[in-house]
Amino acid sequence: MLALRALRNSSLRAARPSLSPVARGYATVAEDAKEIPASLFDKKVDMSQVEKGKGFYINYKRIEDNLKIVRARLNRPLTLSEKIVYGHLDDPHGQDISRGQSYLKLRPDRVACQDATAQMALLQFMSAGLPTVAVPSTVHCDHLIEAQIGGAKDLARAIEINKEVYDFLATCTAKYGLGFWKPGSGIIHQIILENYAFPGGMMIGTDSHTPNAGGLGMIACGVGGADAVDVMADIPWELKCPKVVGVELKGKLSGWATPKDVILKVAGELTVKGGTGAIIEYKGPGVESLSCTGMATICNMGAEIGATTSVFPYNERMGDYLRATKRADIADLAKGFQKNLLPDSGAEYDRHIEINLDELEPHINGPFTPDLATPLSKFASAVKENGWPEELKVALIGSCTNSSYEDMSRSASIAEEAAAHGLTVKSKFTITPGSEQIRATIARDGQMKTLEAAGGMVLANACGPCIGQWDRTDVPKGVKNSIITSYNRNFTGRNDANPATHAFVASPDLVTAMAFAGSLTFNPLTDTLKGADGKEFKFSEPSGKELPPSGYDAGENTFQAPPEDRASVQVAIDPKSDRLQFLAPFKPWDGKNPADMPVLIKAKGKCTTDHISAGGPWLKYRGHLQNISNNCLIGAINAANGEANKIQNLITGEWGAVPATASYYRDNGRPWVVIGDENYGEGSSREHAALEPRYLGGYAIITRSFARIHETNLKKQGLLALTFQNPADYERVRPDDLVDLNGVTDLAPNSIVTLVAKHKDGSKDEIPLVHSFNEGQIAWFKAGSALNLMAAKAKARAASA
């Protein structure tokens, strides 16, 4: 690993994009666009064909009106990100607007939930006592389908195993007015892109890769379920005013370089936390060489650098995609509104990166982290120097990140060329269509047949191995091996629950080519393969269609609209279920400074939401807080012994599992704290990583730094999210300390909380802690959770009515 870090650093020094704190003037700016005709705002264009006739229209007039107010107040040029974000302000007159500092109150256009996170989000919404959702909202069944033997059979098995959860989601969405995409529909982000995303819109989704919709010029942010409940309950969504990182693309993609390589390069530059608190805004002439779905790929993986979201300016490639997906009216409306879908000339950015696409080399990122970026030309030597397993066991393409028609047709072109030389894949090869529409279209147009003939297995239209839903049997757990995917995330054990699996991320093109070589050291740009006739050949550059020439085939209709009469719908929850459980409210704060709290665990190094609340087989308990809490922090590495899920009970002295120890403390009236390292909670938006420690009796999570979504989730559930004022003070807290927190009774914006670490030897350390709570968030803490506060306000309104 050290060898690769040195290699990576030297390669970045040799071809590092230029950086500056402020950048002005880009090739594609608002001044180049036509003025917005007043008649545009009289047009009623449905946000989605799926909801046509329901009165959900694109509201560009609100953005225009808000921006007139904001421009007069700020008196400066605006970035594209600012235009869309500020265009959705709840109170443009009174809202404090300061990048990286103020908390914005926003009104998103819609909400989307995937089935794993939707369970808890809907359970919380039900407990709020409201009759219907306030904005268009959807639930998508994509996370609970395990990849095993192939698409149709895996889907049928999932429907049988998860019937109870699917029945709950189907009845709950019908009861409260949400759209429901049934199992087999496809992955949430692909469905959103095909049906709901639109330029200039704002959406929140209970999945970290919601920014995928930025490929259609939408500000789309991943959030926890409690944030989704706020918006569904007609409460403004709160977001810390994002900074803006401008990425100017020059030149043009060609050959083996793909949109995936743009974000792999950016991830290597910014690292897994470099985008925290910022929107990544792409611009420049190079944008024109990217397809709409390619732009979505780039935005999707912005989650891997911690970005609030990512977005592209409106262009005709987006228009082409909108027309291909039967939304020509939206394309025409966006074209007329384009002045507000581009950055202003002279707009200032907090950081600026330039990438020349003419010179961009394909990259491979990993293993174990999505920001370890290596140019393809140096990857073979990195494999050897770091001792990574050279044999490629499995190559996997598809997922929400790379399953477009263009991706599949380019991969099929590689498979066709290999077939012409008599070759089939040497490694196992899987294909995951992102949606039923993609599956049906590539089945009709022949790409699926080509990939299957090469030896590939087509999986269900679902997340599958990308999120750990993979019943992998070819390698025993604990055996070192290598896989390569076109997915987005590759944390330890992420795909197959095997910590010894070295997972790498690349474009579908590279993944497909490597499958025929069966080796990580194969470079299709320079290396040859031996055909069945014994002759050497080198792959041609991949080719493919951006959009299907014959249009998309919608495939099977898998959408359930909410019924007109919802009064008689009964939500299906069995009181005896081990998968679904009504939520009980958390206790409010007792008004005191806590004392003598055990350190449950001092987590060492990377601690993602996968470490805090594991996925894979645990996904089935996402609607049952008590049961899923048995996975709380079982993947975190204990600084006391370097092991996972083995901690000492500071009351009894016994060593045991994290959840059991936490339960012991809770049941004996001892709240506890977690001590965490840098970027604690990076990764998924799953709020279970906050719900579980709260349920098990946690009081505070204290870290060097937090990932954005996780920090918000902790606050929403009534936990104190605190950081060391001096990050080095992490070292002063010992795993066997008892701690006091002084200053909780005086908690206020920008206040200091003092941690008193009481060591076993009788000595003490007093350590200053800081936080980012505002007045509203402090009210959540005092009430016991944001939901408690919402329910109390609703009850008060009802009493006064």
Side-chain angles (χ1 to χ4, degrees):
M1 185 65 75
L2 290 176
L4 181 63
R5 288 288 182 187
L7 177 65
R8 171 182 177 237
N9 290 340
S10 65
S11 67
L12 284 174
R13 281 193 295 271
R16 182 180 294 273
S18 63
L19 301 176
S20 63
V22 173
R24 295 177 179 272
Y26 290 96
T28 307
V29 294
E31 280 68 10
D32 298 334
K34 295 179 180 178
E35 289 298 322
I36 301 170
S39 59
L40 182 92
F41 302 115
D42 296 328
K43 297 179 180 179
K44 290 187 175 181
V45 175
D46 290 282
M47 279 199 282
S48 169
Q49 294 295 312
V50 178
E51 297 157 344
K52 198 171 183 65
K54 300 297 182 181
F56 302 136
Y57 303 119
I58 293 176
N59 192 355
Y60 281 159
K61 184 68 164 59
R62 174 179 63 175
I63 297 176
E64 174 74 1
D65 290 346
N66 274 11
L67 289 182
K68 286 180 180 177
I69 297 166
V70 171
R71 286 185 187 282
R73 289 181 56 199
L74 299 183
N75 194 31
R76 62 171 174 79
L78 300 177
T79 68
L80 166 63
S81 307
E82 291 180 303
K83 289 182 179 182
I84 302 176
V85 171
Y86 304 161
H88 287 80
L89 285 171
D90 182 53
D91 177 15
H93 289 284
Q95 174 69 63
D96 178 36
I97 301 174
S98 180
R99 281 192 204 165
Q101 295 180 18
S102 56
Y103 280 86
L104 307 179
K105 299 285 189 180
L106 302 165
R107 291 287 185 177
D109 297 298
R110 66 180 312 113
V111 173
C113 307
Q114 39 95 336
D115 50 356
T117 52
Q119 296 169 63
M120 194 59 66
L122 291 177
L123 287 166
Q124 291 179 87
F125 184 81
M126 289 170 62
S127 67
L130 300 171
T132 190
V133 294
V135 300
S137 304
T138 51
V139 169
H140 304 257
C141 294
D142 61 0
H143 270 56
L144 301 180
I145 302 168
E146 184 180 48
Q148 193 179 64
I149 56 177
K153 291 182 179 179
D154 289 347
L155 176 59
R157 177 171 170 266
I159 290 173
E160 179 182 355
I161 291 173
N162 301 307
K163 182 179 186 304
E164 177 182 14
V165 171
Y166 293 147
D167 285 349
F168 163 69
L169 294 174
T171 55
C172 195
T173 52
K175 180 71 174 179
Y176 295 104
L178 294 85
F180 179 62
W181 289 85
K182 301 173 186 177
S185 302
I187 305 172
I188 176 173
H189 312 303
Q190 185 66 29
I191 297 293
I192 293 294
L193 199 72
E194 293 172 351
N195 296 278
Y196 298 115
F198 66 90
M202 174 177 280
M203 178 183 75
I204 61 170
T206 60
D207 189 280
S208 57
H209 293 102
T210 299
N212 189 81
L216 261 177
M218 192 176 209
I219 291 292
C221 302
V223 298
D227 277 356
V229 171
D230 279 355
V231 176
M232 291 191 290
D234 203 26
I235 295 172
W237 174 50
E238 187 174 76
L239 176 71
K240 195 168 190 177
C241 189
K243 296 180 179 180
V244 188
V245 175
V247 179
E248 186 171 11
L249 303 179
K250 298 181 176 180
K252 182 179 180 180
L253 282 179
S254 61
W256 284 85
T258 70
K260 182 65 161 251
D261 299 301
V262 175
I263 185 58
L264 294 178
K265 174 74 171 176
V266 171
E269 178 65 29
L270 290 180
T271 77
V272 291
K273 63 176 184 176
T276 301
I279 293 175
I280 311 299
E281 183 177 311
Y282 293 87
K283 58 187 62 60
V287 169
E288 299 301 320
S289 72
L290 306 177
S291 65
C292 176
T293 53
M295 289 185 268
T297 292
I298 293 170
C299 292
N300 179 295
M301 269 198 72
E304 272 42 77
I305 55 177
T308 301
T309 193
S310 301
V311 69
F312 276 84
Y314 181 77
N315 63 13
E316 281 308 305
R317 305 297 281 273
M318 294 183 190
D320 292 342
Y321 184 78
L322 286 167
R323 294 182 180 92
T325 51
K326 302 180 180 178
R327 293 176 285 173
D329 52 349
I330 296 179
D332 294 341
L333 190 72
K335 182 67 175 175
F337 194 63
Q338 191 169 14
K339 190 175 183 68
N340 281 332
L341 301 176
L342 301 169
D344 290 339
S345 177
E348 296 188 0
Y349 295 82
D350 296 280
R351 186 174 181 183
H352 179 224
I353 299 174
E354 292 181 5
I355 296 178
N356 187 341
L357 300 183
D358 289 335
E359 301 171 357
L360 182 65
E361 186 178 351
H363 278 64
I364 299 177
N365 287 24
F368 307 127
T369 185
D371 63 343
L372 186 57
T374 308
L376 178 61
S377 61
K378 302 183 186 310
F379 188 71
S381 60
V383 170
K384 296 179 184 297
E385 290 175 25
N386 287 276
W388 298 330
E390 291 187 32
E391 181 187 4
L392 180 60
K393 289 291 187 181
V394 191
L396 307 96
I397 64 169
S399 86
C400 67
T401 321
N402 278 105
S403 60
S404 68
Y405 187 84
E406 180 181 37
D407 291 329
M408 293 298 171
S409 57
R410 283 174 66 96
S411 288
S413 76
I414 296 168
E416 283 178 354
E417 186 169 12
H421 291 275
L423 296 185
T424 56
V425 291
K426 285 189 177 179
S427 66
K428 291 182 181 294
F429 183 43
T430 69
I431 303 98
T432 303
S435 68
E436 168 62 9
Q437 179 166 274
I438 290 294
R439 184 211 62 78
T441 305
I442 64 173
R444 180 199 66 194
D445 292 355
Q447 291 95 340
M448 183 184 293
K449 183 178 180 181
T450 297
L451 295 169
E452 288 181 321
M457 176 194 291
V458 177
L459 301 176
N461 314 323
C463 298
C466 185
I467 60 160
Q469 285 285 49
W470 184 14
D471 183 20
R472 188 180 180 192
T473 58
D474 63 306
V475 173
K477 188 173 289 189
V479 173
K480 283 180 65 174
N481 72 101
S482 290
I483 66 173
I484 191 166
T485 81
S486 69
Y487 303 163
N488 44 41
R489 192 163 283 167
N490 62 340
F491 300 139
T492 302
R494 166 81 177 183
N495 303 122
D496 61 2
N498 181 2
T501 294
H502 292 56
F504 299 89
V505 179
S507 69
D509 300 4
L510 283 188
V511 174
T512 302
M514 285 188 167
F516 287 97
S519 172
L520 276 186
T521 58
F522 177 69
N523 181 345
L525 280 73
T526 58
D527 299 343
T528 61
L529 293 177
K530 184 177 292 186
D533 59 2
K535 295 180 180 179
E536 301 281 336
F537 76 96
K538 190 172 76 170
F539 279 119
S540 305
E541 293 178 352
S543 62
K545 299 288 187 182
E546 176 179 343
L547 297 165
S550 301
Y552 284 104
D553 183 336
E556 182 182 346
N557 182 10
T558 54
F559 177 70
Q560 170 189 291
E564 293 296 329
D565 180 12
R566 296 183 274 117
S568 61
V569 177
Q570 297 295 314
V571 178
I573 299 182
D574 184 346
K576 301 186 294 295
S577 172
D578 69 348
R579 297 193 63 174
L580 295 165
Q581 180 187 51
F582 285 106
L583 288 176
F586 295 128
K587 291 181 180 179
W589 175 55
D590 64 5
K592 302 175 183 176
N593 285 326
D596 292 326
M597 294 188 294
V599 171
L600 176 70
I601 185 172
K602 181 179 180 180
K604 180 182 179 181
K606 187 184 284 285
C607 191
T608 71
T609 49
D610 280 22
H611 294 89
I612 304 167
S613 176
W618 290 96
L619 287 174
K620 64 184 177 182
Y621 296 126
R622 285 286 181 88
H624 199 291
L625 183 54
Q626 180 179 352
N627 285 345
I628 199 170
S629 292
N630 288 318
N631 77 1
C632 184
L633 286 158
I634 61 175
I637 301 303
N638 184 6
N641 55 9
E643 297 184 41
N645 204 27
K646 186 176 181 182
I647 62 172
Q648 187 177 30
N649 184 319
L650 302 187
I651 309 303
T652 67
E654 297 177 355
W655 289 80
V658 179
T661 307
S663 296
Y664 178 92
Y665 291 151
R666 178 197 61 195
D667 296 344
N668 286 273
R670 298 292 295 270
W672 45 263
V673 303
V674 167
I675 305 299
D677 215 322
E678 294 278 6
N679 206 31
Y680 182 90
E682 73 172 274
S684 169
S685 68
R686 66 189 68 161
E687 65 180 334
H688 295 77
L691 278 161
E692 292 173 29
R694 182 72 168 100
Y695 173 77
L696 291 172
Y699 190 98
I701 311 296
I702 304 162
T703 72
R704 293 190 204 251
S705 64
F706 285 104
R708 175 190 65 87
I709 299 176
H710 185 62
E711 183 179 19
T712 300
N713 286 346
L714 292 170
K715 294 177 180 180
K716 286 276 186 176
Q717 301 307 332
L719 282 156
L720 280 184
L722 306 169
T723 55
F724 295 105
Q725 189 176 56
N726 176 6
D729 283 343
Y730 164 89
E731 303 293 351
R732 297 170 65 190
V733 183
R734 303 172 190 175
D736 56 358
D737 282 346
L738 297 178
V739 305
D740 301 345
L741 290 179
N742 296 330
V744 177
T745 53
D746 301 315
L747 194 66
N750 303 312
S751 68
I752 298 293
V753 174
T754 301
L755 183 153
V756 181
K758 301 173 182 178
H759 309 311
K760 268 195 170 182
D761 60 10
S763 62
K764 296 180 182 180
D765 272 311
E766 292 194 3
I767 301 169
L769 306 176
V770 294
H771 63 84
S772 61
F773 282 82
N774 59 28
E775 291 287 2
Q777 295 168 345
I778 291 170
W780 299 342
F781 168 71
K782 290 180 177 179
S785 72
L787 188 60
N788 284 2
L789 190 64
M790 181 196 301
K793 289 181 177 179
K795 187 176 180 179
R797 285 194 299 269
S800 63

